[in-house]
C-alpha cells in the first residue's frame, strides 16, 4: 500500500513538471508572435534552477536574449526591446510591481507579461500606473494546456482599469499526451485526466474554423495606440497663445478677425478635431507667450504649463534646443514662417545704372572703335593740313581730333571737320555708329531707371544694403535676435535692429507693414497675418516686388506636448490621419494667406527722382568743379608761354645790340 501511494505521488509530480513546460512554451510563443526584437527580463522570478535553465534554453533556441537588469540609462532604442515577465505565484511580486510603477517602468516603451492562475489576487494592478501607452498583458492559465491573454490599462491615474481580450495560447496535442501518458498506462485511475477530444471540439467551436495551436491573436490592430483610440470622455487640455487680442478666445473656430492670432486659430482647429476623434473632453487655457526662461531660469507660457502637466498640447511652437529637453514635439499641423519682407529697392539705389545698358565687352568694343576712328582722323587731318588750310578745317593736331570725337560721342556738333573724302567717310561712319549705340543706350536707361534690384537675396546682402530694418514687437523676435550668435545675424541685430545708444526697431504689425509699403524698409514678421494686412491695404502695383529673406532658418513649427506623455502616440496617429485625409490642408487654405501677387503687369507712371539720377548729377558736379581748374591751367599755361616768348625776344634783342 505504501509503495502504491509513493507511485501515485511520483506520477502527480511528473505530470506537474511536464505541464509546467507549457508555461515556458507559452512565453516563447508569445514573444515570437510579436515579431519584433525582444530581450526578456525576469526580475524576482522564483522558479527553481531546472525551470529557469529550461526557459533560458528555449529562449536561446529561438534567438531571444535575456536581460540581467532594468538598465534605466540604456538608449531608447534598446528599451523598445525589453519585455519584463512576472509570475504572480512568486513572493514579493506586489512590491516589485509598485516599485516599477513608481519609477515609470509601466510607461512606453516597456512591455510586461504577467503570468497568473485563478487563485492569485490582482488587486495590486489598481495601484499601478498602467496608462494608455502601457503594454501590460496578463497571461491567465485556465487549464493545463491553455492560457488567455488580457491587456490591462487605464485612461488616467484616477480612472478604472480597462481589460481587453488579447488572444489565447493552446498547447499542441503532443504536449498534453506527454503529460497524461503515464497516468493512462497505469492501472490506477485518478481524477486528473483530461478528455482531449472534448477540448479540441470546444476549441474548434470557439474559433469557428480549423483547429489552431500556439498563440491565437485576437487584436483588432497590431498598433497599440490604434486599439485605444477611445478615451471615454477623458479631459484633454490645450494651452493657447494669445498675443494680438483677447477677442481671440471667442473666435477660435470661426473666420472672424483672421489677422489676429492666426497661428493659434490654425492650431486649435486641428487639435479640436483630434480630441473629437479620441472621444475626449476639451478644455482650454490661455497664455501670452510660447515659452522662454525668465531671469531666474524658470519657464513661462506653454512650456511652463506642459512641465506642470496642466496641459496636454499647445499652440504651434518653433523648435529650439532648450525646449526639446523639456517637451516633445508631436506633429506639424500647420504652416507659417517668420521672415524679413521688403519691397525690392530700385536698381538705381544699389548700382550705377548708366554703366549697365552694355556689357563689359560692348564697352571695350566702343572704346576700341572710337580710338581707331580718332587715329585715322588724326592721320587724315595731318595730310589735309599739307594740302592747304581752311578756317573750319582740322589743323592736324590731337586737340582738334579730340574735340571732334567728344562731340560725336555726346551727340554734339563740332565747328571743325575734314575737308576731303577720306576724313569725311570716317566721320560719317563714326556718327552713324554712335547714333545707333546712343539710341540703344537711351532705351535701356529708361527701363533701368524704374527696374527693381534683385541683388538683395541673402542675409549678407541685407546687411550691406541701404535698407532700414525692423521687427514685429513679439517676444519670439526679441528672443531669436538675441539668441542667434552667427556673425552675420549678430551684425544685423547689432547694427540695424538694435544699434547701441538707440531705441530698438520693434514695431506693431500695422506700422511695420506701412513702412514696407513706403519702401527701403525690411520688416521681420510672421508671414500669414502680415500678408493678410498687405492684401487688404496695398495698391495692386505695390504687391509686385515683395521679397522674403529667412533670418531664423527654421522648419515649420510643431504642436508641443508633455515629455513622454501617455497620449503621444494617439496624438501622432490622429494628426497623421487628419493630414492624410486633407482636413489639415483645408484648414490651412481657409486661414493661410500666400504671398500677394499683382494681377499681371501693371504700367503706372512714376517720376524719376534724384536717387535715380545720382550718378549723372555727380558727374555734372565733378565737371563743374573741374572746369574752373582747367581754365586756371589754361590761363597759367598761356602766361607761361607768353613769358617764355618775351624772354626769348629780349634775349634776341640783346644779342642784336638793341
Amino acid at each position: 500500500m505504501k509503495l502504491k501511494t509513493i507511485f501515485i505521488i511520483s506520477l502527480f509530480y511528473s505530470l506537474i513538471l511536464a505541464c509546467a513546460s507549457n508555461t515556458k512554451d507559452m512565453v516563447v510563443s508569445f514573444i515570437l508572435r510579436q515579431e519584433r526584437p525582444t530581450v526578456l527580463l525576469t526580475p524576482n522570478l522564483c522558479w527553481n534552477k531546472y525551470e529557469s535553465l529550461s526557459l533560458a534554453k528555449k529562449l536561446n533556441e529561438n534567438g531571444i536574449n535575456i536581460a540581467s537588469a532594468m538598465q534605466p540609462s540604456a538608449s531608447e532604442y534598446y528599451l523598445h526591446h525589453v519585455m519584463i515577465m512576472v509570475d504572480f505565484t512568486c513572493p514579493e511580486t506586489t512590491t516589485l510591481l509598485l516599485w516599477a510603477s513608481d519609477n515609470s517602468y509601466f510607461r512606453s516603451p516597456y512591455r510586461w507579461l504577467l503570468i497568473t492562475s485563478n487563485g492569485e489576487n490582482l488587486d495590486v494592478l489598481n495601484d499601478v500606473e498602467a496608462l494608455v501607452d502601457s503594454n501590460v498583458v496578463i497571461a491567465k492559465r485556465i487549464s493545463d494546456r491553455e492560457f488567455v491573454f488580457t491587456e490591462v490599462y487605464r485612461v488616467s491615474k484616477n480612472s478604472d482599469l480597462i481589460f481587453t481580450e488579447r488572444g489565447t495560447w493552446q498547447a499542441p496535442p503532443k504536449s498534453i499526451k506527454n503529460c497524461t501518458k503515464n497516468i493512462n498506462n497505469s492501472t490506477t485511475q485518478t481524477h486528473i485526466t483530461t478528455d482531449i477530444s472534448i477540448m479540441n471540439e470546444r476549441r474548434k467551436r470557439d474559433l469557428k474554423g480549423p483547429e489552431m495551436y500556439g498563440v491565437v491573436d485576437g487584436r483588432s490592430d497590431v498598433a497599440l495606440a490604434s486599439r485605444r483610440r477611445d478615451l471615454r470622455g477623458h479631459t484633454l487640455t490645450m494651452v493657447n497663445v494669445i498675443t494680438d487680442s483677447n477677442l481671440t478666445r471667442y473666435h477660435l473656430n470661426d473666420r472672424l478677425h483672421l489677422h489676429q492670432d492666426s497661428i493659434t486659430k490654425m492650431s486649435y482647429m486641428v487639435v479640436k478635431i483630434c480630441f473629437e476623434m479620441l472621444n475626449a473632453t476639451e478644455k482650454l487655457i490661455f497664455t501670452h507667450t510660447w515659452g522662454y526662461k525668465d531671469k531666474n531660469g524658470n519657464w513661462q507660457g506653454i512650456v511652463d504649463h506642459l512641465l506642470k502637466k496642466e496641459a496636454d498640447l499647445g499652440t504651434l511652437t518653433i523648435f529650439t534646443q532648450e525646449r526639446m529637453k523639456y517637451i516633445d514635439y508631436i506633429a506639424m499641423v500647420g504652416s507659417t514662417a517668420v521672415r524679413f519682407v521688403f519691397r525690392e529697392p530700385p536698381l538705381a539705389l544699389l548700382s550705377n545704372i548708366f554703366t549697365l545698358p552694355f556689357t563689359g565687352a560692348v564697352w571695350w568694343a566702343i572704346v576700341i572703335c572710337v580710338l581707331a576712328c580718332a587715329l585715322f582722323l588724326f592721320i587724315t587731318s595731318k595730310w589735309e593740313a599739307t594740302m592747304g588750310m581752311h578756317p573750319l578745317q582740322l589743323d592736324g593736331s590731337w586737340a582738334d581730333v579730340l574735340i571732334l570725337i567728344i562731340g560725336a560721342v555726346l551727340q554734339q556738333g563740332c565747328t571743325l571737320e575734314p575737308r576731303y573724302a577720306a576724313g569725311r567717310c570716317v566721320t560719317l561712319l563714326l556718327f552713324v555708329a554712335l547714333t545707333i549705340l546712343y539710341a540703344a543706350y537711351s532705351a535701356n536707361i529708361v527701363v533701368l531707371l524704374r527696374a527693381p534690384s534683385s541683388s538683395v537675396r541673402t542675409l549678407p546682402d541685407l546687411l550691406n544694403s541701404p535698407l532700414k530694418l525692423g521687427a514685429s514687437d513679439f517676444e519670439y523676435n526679441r528672443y531669436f535676435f538675441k539668441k542667434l550668435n552667427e556673425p552675420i545675424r549678430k551684425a544685423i541685430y547689432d547694427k540695424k535692429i538694435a544699434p547701441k545708444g538707440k531705441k530698438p526697431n520693434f514695431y506693431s504689425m500695422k506700422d511695420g507693414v506701412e513702412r514696407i509699403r513706403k519702401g527701403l524698409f525690411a520688416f521681420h514678421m510672421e508671414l500669414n497675418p502680415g500678408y493678410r494686412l498687405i492684401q487688404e491695404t496695398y495698391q495692386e502695383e505695390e504687391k509686385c516686388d515683395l521679397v522674403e529673406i529667412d533670418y531664423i532658418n527654421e522648419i515649420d513649427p510643431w504642436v508641443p506636448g508633455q515629455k513622454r506623455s501617455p497620449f503621444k502616440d494617439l496624438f501622432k496617429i490622429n494628426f497623421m490621419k487628419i493630414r492624410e485625409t486633407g482636413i489639415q490642408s483645408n484648414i490651412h487654405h481657409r486661414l493661410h494667406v500666400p504671398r500677394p501677387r499683382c494681377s499681371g503687369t501693371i504700367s503706372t507712371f512714376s517720376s524719376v527722382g534724384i536717387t535715380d539720377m545720382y550718378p549723372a548729377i555727380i558727374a555734372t558736379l565733378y565737371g563743374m568743379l573741374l572746369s574752373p581748374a582747367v581754365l586756371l591751367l589754361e590761363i597759367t599755361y598761356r602766361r607761361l608761354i607768353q613769358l617764355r616768348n618775351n624772354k626769348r625776344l629780349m634775349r634776341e634783342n640783346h644779342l642784336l645790340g638793341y
Side-chain angles (χ1 to χ4, degrees), residues 196-356:
I196 299 176
S197 61
I198 296 177
M199 292 182 64
N200 286 344
E201 290 297 327
R202 186 191 66 181
R203 185 69 178 166
K204 291 179 181 180
R205 183 174 64 254
D206 292 343
L207 293 175
K208 298 180 181 180
E211 185 166 4
M212 298 176 64
Y213 301 100
V215 175
V216 178
D217 197 340
R219 294 175 293 178
S220 58
D221 196 305
V222 176
L224 185 69
S226 297
R227 304 194 303 272
R228 300 178 181 178
R229 291 175 295 180
D230 186 0
L231 297 186
R232 308 189 180 193
H234 173 66
T235 300
L236 294 177
T237 304
M238 180 183 184
V239 53
N240 300 273
V241 176
I242 295 181
T243 58
D244 294 331
S245 172
N246 284 328
L247 292 175
T248 299
R249 66 177 63 198
Y250 307 112
H251 301 287
L252 287 173
N253 205 27
D254 55 35
R255 302 190 72 250
L256 299 177
H257 308 289
L258 291 178
H259 58 284
Q260 295 176 352
D261 298 302
S262 60
I263 193 66
T264 300
K265 296 176 180 179
M266 186 181 303
S267 305
Y268 170 74
M269 288 185 180
V270 179
V271 171
K272 177 181 176 65
I273 297 173
C274 177
F275 285 175
E276 292 174 351
M277 294 172 67
L278 293 174
N279 190 22
T281 302
E282 167 194 302
K283 179 182 177 182
L284 301 179
I285 58 177
F286 299 91
T287 184
H288 67 284
T289 180
W290 280 265
Y292 307 96
K293 287 185 176 180
D294 58 17
K295 296 180 180 179
N296 299 323
N298 299 320
W299 285 97
Q300 299 176 338
I302 289 179
V303 178
D304 180 52
H305 287 289
L306 293 176
L307 286 175
K308 294 178 180 178
K309 300 188 182 303
E310 297 173 349
D312 299 286
L313 295 176
T315 300
L316 285 171
T317 304
I318 296 176
F319 282 85
T320 66
Q321 290 184 350
E322 288 183 329
R323 291 172 180 166
M324 293 179 69
K325 298 177 183 178
Y326 300 96
I327 62 174
D328 282 333
Y329 287 91
I330 307 300
M332 192 274 290
V333 302
S335 176
T336 188
V338 182
R339 294 175 183 170
F340 277 109
V341 178
F342 58 93
R343 296 182 65 188
E344 287 185 325
L347 184 61
L349 184 66
L350 303 177
S351 304
N352 183 1
I353 62 172
F354 294 96
T355 62
L356 296 179

Side-chain angles (χ1 to χ4, degrees), residues 176 189 220 228 395 414 552 596 617:
I176 194 64
Q189 300 296 322
S220 58
R228 300 178 181 178
D395 62 0
C414 182
I552 301 176
I617 294 175

Side-chain angles (χ1 to χ4, degrees), residues 52 61 117 124 142 200 204 211 237 249 360 483 486 611:
S52 299
E61 290 174 351
S117 300
V124 65
I142 60 174
N200 286 344
K204 291 179 181 180
E211 185 166 4
T237 304
R249 66 177 63 198
K483 192 70 176 178
E486 190 267 332
T611 302

